[in-house]
Amino acid sequence: MEDKRSAKDGQLVLPGDYLGVIEEFLPGEGVREENGELYATRAGKVRINRERMEISVEPVTDTPPLPKVGDVVLARVIEVKPQAVIVQLLAIEGRENDREIATSKLAGIHISQVKEGFVEDLSKEFKIGDVVRARVIANEKSPIQLSTREPEMGVVYALCSRCRTPLIRRGDKLICPRCGNVETRKLSPLYRKIKVSL
């Protein structure tokens, strides 16, 4: 039989983790009893009330942030398809000090959400490796849906597709200072003005 140890005050537990026995503690919030044994029903910190001899699980408030509709996120382009761009979420703007994002981290920008007007070729707007500033427009299902239609949304960091040197903005074009390659993107006015952790 496995040796089951009672949980300690302040210990982080996950749903289903063993906490102790009914003879030791009464089940409080976030705890269920099964055949005399106590288990966590949610992720959080164990709280033991010695006076009441009660054990409970307090939900952790600093859980990783979930991007909400309306949030502005930074994301890296990992795939450019004919109808959509697949990106990996990096951070939620204004919450950069929070922990990692809690979702699958994948999001999509549909061709209709890139910019105002018609987009003929998505590869002229985004390239793999670009860091994009975008707004969350739907988060019910995976991948989360993003939009860069607003003027301040778009690419904030890009590498030359030939030599991988960070590109410099000149008007509405991007120029490679190393090989002279000229590229286009759906640019944000904040290009190279946002600190991007690569």
Side-chain angles (χ1 to χ4, degrees):
M1 183 173 145
E2 62 174 318
D3 175 29
K4 290 187 171 176
R5 290 207 173 84
S6 295
K8 296 191 172 32
D9 195 47
Q11 181 181 330
L12 274 173
V13 292
L14 295 170
D17 282 1
Y18 174 81
L19 301 174
V21 289
I22 197 83
E23 291 81 15
E24 199 179 358
F25 302 112
L26 291 166
E29 289 276 314
V31 178
R32 69 179 162 80
E33 184 237 338
E34 199 175 284
N35 304 325
E37 295 183 332
L38 302 173
Y39 295 93
T41 60
R42 61 185 173 204
K45 280 195 176 120
V46 173
R47 289 288 170 240
I48 296 172
N49 183 326
R50 297 271 172 218
E51 285 164 26
R52 303 218 310 260
M53 291 316 292
E54 182 182 85
I55 190 166
S56 57
V57 178
E58 183 181 273
V60 183
T61 48
D62 66 345
T63 50
L66 274 166
K68 297 188 292 296
V69 171
D71 278 351
V72 174
V73 295
L74 290 177
R76 179 174 291 115
V77 176
I78 55 173
E79 192 177 349
V80 180
K81 296 177 167 180
Q83 292 298 307
V85 177
I86 308 299
V87 297
Q88 182 177 15
L89 297 173
L90 301 173
I92 300 173
E93 206 167 273
R95 298 179 62 181
E96 290 86 349
N97 300 334
D98 285 5
R99 305 203 357 238
E100 296 260 306
I101 290 173
T103 62
S104 73
K105 292 193 173 169
L106 287 185
I109 305 170
H110 188 265
I111 193 164
S112 66
Q113 290 298 328
V114 171
K115 64 183 185 183
E116 293 295 329
F118 180 69
V119 174
E120 195 173 313
D121 182 357
L122 265 182
S123 68
K124 287 193 169 71
E125 311 297 336
F126 301 107
K127 299 240 188 301
I128 291 171
D130 287 357
V131 176
V132 178
R133 184 171 183 256
R135 192 173 297 281
V136 178
I137 54 169
N139 65 352
E140 305 84 53
K141 51 188 189 291
S142 189
I144 288 172
Q145 294 302 305
L146 305 177
S147 171
T148 55
R149 285 175 75 113
E150 294 170 57
E152 58 279 4
M153 301 300 160
V155 175
V156 294
Y157 183 84
L159 296 174
C160 174
S161 49
R162 281 194 200 147
C163 71
R164 309 308 289 161
T165 301
L167 294 167
I168 294 168
R169 182 173 188 166
R170 291 275 179 270
D172 60 353
K173 299 263 188 291
L174 293 175
I175 295 167
C176 177
R178 184 184 289 164
C179 73
N181 188 25
V182 177
E183 301 188 19
T184 59
R185 296 287 197 284
K186 162 49 168 114
L187 286 171
S188 162
L190 298 171
Y191 185 79
R192 303 272 310 252
K193 293 187 175 120
I194 291 179
K195 195 170 130 296
V196 175
S197 52
L198 296 169

